Amino acid sequence: MELLRVSAARGASRWQRLAVRPSNGTCRRCIRSQVAARRQFATTRPALEKPYYVTTPIFYVNAAPHVGHMYSMVLADVLKRWQTLTGRTALLCTGTDEHGIKVQRAAALEEVPPKQFCDDNAAKFEHLAEKALIDHDRFIRTTDEDHIAAVEYFWFLLREKGLIYESKHAGWYCVSDECFYPEAMIEKKQDPFTGQVFLASTETGNKVEWIEERNYHFRMTALKDKLLDFYAKNPDWIVPVSRMNEVVDWVQNHLVDLSISRPVDRLSWGIRVPGDHTQTIYVWVDALINYLTMAGFPNWTPGKEQDGGWPADVHVIGKDILRFHCVYWPALLLALDLPLPQRVLSHAHWTMDRRKMSKSLGNVVNPLFAIDRWGVDAMRFYMIYNGGIVEDSDYNNDTLLGGYKKLLQGGLGNLTNRIIRSKKWSVKEAITFVRGRGSLQDDVKGDKIMSNQVALLQSLGPKANEEMAVPNPSAALHRIMEVMTKANFLVSEKKPWELANEPSNPDKVMALNYSLYLAMETLRIVGILLQPFMPSKAAELLDILGVSEDKRTFQHAQVGADFDFGAPFLEEGKSAWETLFPPVLALN
Ligand code: MSP
């Protein structure tokens, strides 16, 4: 990479004047491009035209994937798919975090060269993304060449702004968490199995070791006021808002300059500091920049800086990595006058018997096995329906199976089955009947159950959309399933199988047709809205209902938006029960 040197004294806000492009050498056109980029970012104009951009954390490759990782992935995927459903171009990035002491040690332990170790383990996460139906636009790896170039360039810009200095660093380092902890956050612990006493982080309980070394520091304290100002102006930047307090507290009371490199003799597996090959860039700085790499940083075309998605609309993260994303990351971005992500969704953890899943405790659930056992849609459904944002959720096969039986098999599957399968009526005729009358509201006015269902269906799309904007996918999913449950109630109350016995009674015919229509309309709208949550089962359901491919958008999830469905794209004689949610084995 060719680096043009400018005096840092020339001012911190001039990075955009540099005609520099990593790997590609000097590029004059970038001067204009970056000035334009800077100007655009200086405005408060919301990024309306850009693609929606959502990210997952990138996963450490030192251990195999578990359901906690799958949860981050599925949350991000549901957010992306929801945007696509509403017609917006959306991007999703997931991937692996491959550098750092933790991975270096894990590779050494297996006596495998680090790159090979990373290749093998990154493949496991990529496989999980496929099996979990994650619609990602890139599986990024921090060993990717364009990422390395982006990190080097980022470093260079920080240095040119005078925000990096070299000094001695002494402190408690936790390899497992890949960070230093202040003295006040260290405590003595005893290993319950070996009885061994060790020093650990009060936050994570992971072992720390005393380190003294020379390294580079990022002048994070210089950003303190800007950070606090940003939090004050954006109180709902972190979801849930309750986590904002701990972030503000950290910045107010614990902010210190960040050590951002390690001597090569301690950490060789990483990106070298540009211009100083005795030091390796700190893994968290390296990792966080992946979000920019995906968005094309720093090769942004003038006027199209946001085409790659930056600033991200949502970073999905677990609550354990809040500080990195809500303090270090905005500080680094503010340092370069880059726009900050619009929101951070920090979810709670999956536990096993109320203890956090961890490799060392051996209580992790393998998501690949779980997907094979329950099916990918049922797993995704369970994770979103039962997964926590504020509170941790205990992973439990009985709960999973209970939800499957009650909501999917007995709820959605049963509703589909009882309406579609009966030989006593034709749903197509019921839809045609309602279409012909053209007065749904008036016709159901006198019937509380039916008019309630119409009202619920009319507000379902907008309300689910509001929840997704929070973002709160679990609340959106609960709403969708409630409306489905109400339709089952409607069918039980109206008893179409009895109404169908009186074809010469106009009132009964009317009631029959409206009951069937509302059940079908519920299934159609619910089916459309479930696509982001259960992509393959929702598609199957819409096939069963005969909803054409081009009428499966959010705009079609409205009462009366489609009257052309009702003839299943289904093999004759095959029941919805068999196809949609078959019985599963309850082994425990
Ligand atoms: N490599 C860092 C992230 C860098 S992002 C720039 C990392 N990796 S991780 O593999 O340890 O964790 C990845 C994600 O999985 C985190 O969001 C973490 O919160 C999540 N989970 C890990 N265990 C979890 C549970 N038991 N439950 C839910 N999610 C948890 O941190």
Side-chain angles (χ1 to χ4, degrees):
M1 182 170 86
E2 186 183 343
L3 301 180
L4 287 189
R5 298 210 140 265
V6 291
S7 157
R10 259 200 263 162
S13 63
R14 303 205 180 161
W15 68 266
Q16 64 276 10
R17 293 196 186 163
L18 303 176
V20 181
R21 201 154 24 173
S23 311
N24 303 346
T26 307
C27 167
R28 288 269 153 220
R29 278 192 310 149
C30 289
I31 299 173
R32 283 196 306 278
S33 137
Q34 292 174 351
V35 168
R38 175 64 192 90
R39 243 183 247 132
Q40 180 161 3
F41 294 146
T43 72
T44 51
R45 192 157 58 100
L48 287 179
E49 315 302 329
K50 73 169 200 67
Y52 179 90
Y53 176 32
V54 55
T55 66
T56 76
I58 48 171
F59 306 99
Y60 285 129
V61 287
N62 66 308
H66 62 67
V67 293
H69 303 134
M70 178 173 163
Y71 185 45
S72 292
M73 282 188 182
V74 173
L75 274 171
D77 185 61
V78 169
L79 294 181
K80 176 192 170 176
R81 286 178 186 267
W82 188 269
Q83 293 299 321
T84 310
L85 184 73
T86 64
R88 187 163 172 195
T89 305
L91 301 170
L92 164 56
C93 185
T94 189
T96 41
D97 190 352
E98 306 190 358
H99 294 133
I101 300 177
K102 182 148 93 166
V103 173
Q104 179 176 291
R105 283 191 188 169
L109 212 63
E110 288 196 13
E111 297 178 7
V112 179
K115 181 62 168 72
Q116 190 191 320
F117 177 83
C118 291
D119 288 349
D120 295 346
N121 289 298
K124 293 180 190 160
F125 283 92
E126 203 163 358
H127 181 54
L128 171 62
E130 268 160 40
K131 289 262 296 189
L133 304 180
I134 307 303
D135 185 19
H136 55 290
D137 297 272
R138 175 162 179 184
F139 188 92
I140 196 166
R141 299 181 52 187
T142 49
T143 45
D144 289 343
E145 263 181 37
D146 62 338
H147 174 70
I148 293 170
V151 172
E152 288 171 342
Y153 190 55
F154 199 100
W155 181 284
F156 160 71
L157 295 175
L158 281 179
R159 195 180 57 201
E160 294 308 321
K161 294 196 125 200
L163 289 168
I164 294 180
Y165 64 92
E166 206 183 345
S167 82
K168 191 175 157 214
H169 194 90
W172 294 104
Y173 194 76
C174 175
V175 172
S176 182
D177 304 335
E178 291 280 19
C179 68
F180 278 104
Y181 285 106
E183 188 75 44
M185 291 177 75
I186 303 300
E187 64 180 358
K188 262 193 193 155
K189 276 191 77 173
Q190 188 166 31
D191 187 311
F193 301 113
T194 62
Q196 198 191 3
V197 175
F198 60 96
L199 289 168
S201 145
T202 51
E203 205 173 56
T204 63
N206 292 328
K207 192 174 170 191
V208 294
E209 50 197 87
W210 183 255
I211 299 291
E212 281 187 32
E213 62 192 23
R214 282 203 77 74
N215 54 30
Y216 289 99
H217 287 71
F218 164 49
R219 236 179 260 286
M220 194 155 62
T221 47
L223 279 309
K224 183 172 179 172
D225 291 346
K226 275 194 179 177
L227 283 171
L228 291 172
D229 185 53
F230 174 76
Y231 303 142
K233 288 187 176 136
N234 299 276
D236 51 6
W237 184 58
I238 301 171
V239 176
V241 281
S242 53
R243 294 212 175 98
M244 181 57 108
N245 295 342
E246 62 184 271
V247 167
V248 172
D249 176 71
W250 180 275
V251 173
Q252 265 166 351
N253 303 313
H254 304 285
L255 196 75
V256 288
D257 286 348
L258 185 65
S259 152
I260 53 169
S261 72
R262 304 281 171 263
V264 157
D265 52 9
R266 214 158 70 76
L267 172 64
S268 58
W269 180 237
I271 304 171
R272 292 284 183 277
V273 165
D276 181 354
H277 280 212
T278 69
Q279 292 273 325
T280 305
I281 296 178
Y282 173 40
V283 64
W284 266 103
V285 171
D286 168 353
L288 288 163
I289 293 169
N290 94 84
Y291 301 134
L292 283 176
T293 309
M294 159 67 178
F297 172 86
N299 300 314
W300 285 327
T301 309
K304 296 185 175 174
E305 293 82 0
Q306 300 194 342
D307 280 10
W310 196 258
D313 290 77
V314 185
H315 285 322
V316 175
I317 60 162
K319 64 179 181 180
D320 54 321
I321 50 175
L322 191 70
R323 192 164 65 246
F324 302 98
H325 285 82
C326 299
V327 179
Y328 301 178
W329 186 221
L332 287 163
L333 291 165
L334 284 169
L336 298 191
D337 295 318
L338 289 168
L340 305 194
Q342 321 246 322
R343 194 141 296 186
V344 176
L345 171 60
S346 119
H347 61 75
H349 287 150
W350 284 93
T351 56
M352 208 38 173
D353 300 324
R354 303 270 155 223
R355 300 178 79 182
K356 189 181 177 217
M357 286 187 197
S358 82
K359 196 183 160 199
S360 50
L361 286 174
N363 62 349
V364 293
V365 175
N366 181 328
L368 300 172
F369 293 171
I371 289 172
D372 284 343
R373 179 170 173 193
W374 306 111
V376 62
D377 295 274
M379 261 305 277
R380 288 174 58 113
F381 180 87
Y382 171 62
M383 302 221 87
I384 299 294
Y385 199 84
N386 296 69
I389 298 295
V390 179
E391 303 291 341
D392 291 351
S393 311
D394 211 37
Y395 188 91
N396 184 305
N397 283 331
D398 292 337
T399 314
L400 194 159
L401 186 63
Y404 181 83
K405 282 187 174 164
K406 186 170 166 226
L407 294 163
L408 298 181
Q409 209 175 31
L412 192 56
N414 187 32
L415 179 61
T416 312
N417 208 36
R418 56 206 298 221
I419 297 301
I420 293 278
R421 268 183 92 188
S422 177
K423 299 273 184 276
K424 291 186 106 175
W425 56 70
S426 152
V427 287
K428 191 78 196 160
E429 274 174 35
I431 293 167
T432 311
F433 175 91
V434 172
R435 175 186 224 168
R437 292 187 60 87
S439 53
L440 174 69
Q441 312 278 2
D442 286 347
D443 283 351
V444 300
K445 211 163 46 194
D447 186 304
K448 207 162 170 227
I449 297 180
M450 290 205 202
S451 51
N452 271 353
Q453 193 64 16
V454 172
L456 280 175
L457 284 174
Q458 274 168 336
S459 61
L460 181 58
K463 288 212 162 133
N465 207 27
E466 273 172 33
E467 301 287 8
M468 292 302 287
V470 172
N472 190 345
S474 184
L477 184 56
H478 275 80
R479 266 187 196 281
I480 296 168
M481 296 311 284
E482 272 164 29
V483 176
M484 183 281 301
T485 304
K486 289 271 166 44
N488 251 329
F489 171 74
L490 181 148
V491 172
S492 300
E493 289 292 306
K494 297 295 163 192
K495 302 186 175 52
W497 49 91
E498 287 179 8
L499 297 169
N501 292 334
E502 297 188 58
S504 48
N505 179 336
D507 288 347
K508 304 275 168 156
V509 170
M510 183 106 143
L512 172 68
N513 282 320
Y514 273 108
S515 312
L516 296 178
Y517 173 74
L518 286 176
M520 284 298 280
E521 197 59 346
T522 303
L523 285 170
R524 184 183 71 80
I525 292 174
V526 161
I528 290 175
L529 298 177
L530 280 178
Q531 292 174 99
F533 300 89
M534 295 194 290
S536 57
K537 285 296 169 189
E540 267 181 54
L541 170 61
L542 295 169
D543 282 352
I544 292 170
L545 301 176
V547 178
S548 69
E549 296 265 350
D550 59 337
K551 292 188 172 158
R552 298 181 181 189
T553 71
F554 183 76
Q555 286 67 30
H556 290 95
Q558 286 173 26
V559 180
D562 178 8
F563 284 105
D564 298 327
F565 73 115
F569 311 145
L570 192 71
E571 287 167 44
E572 195 66 18
K574 213 174 175 192
S575 80
W577 185 269
E578 283 156 11
T579 52
L580 217 44
F581 298 107
V584 285
L585 280 182
L587 305 169
N588 231 336

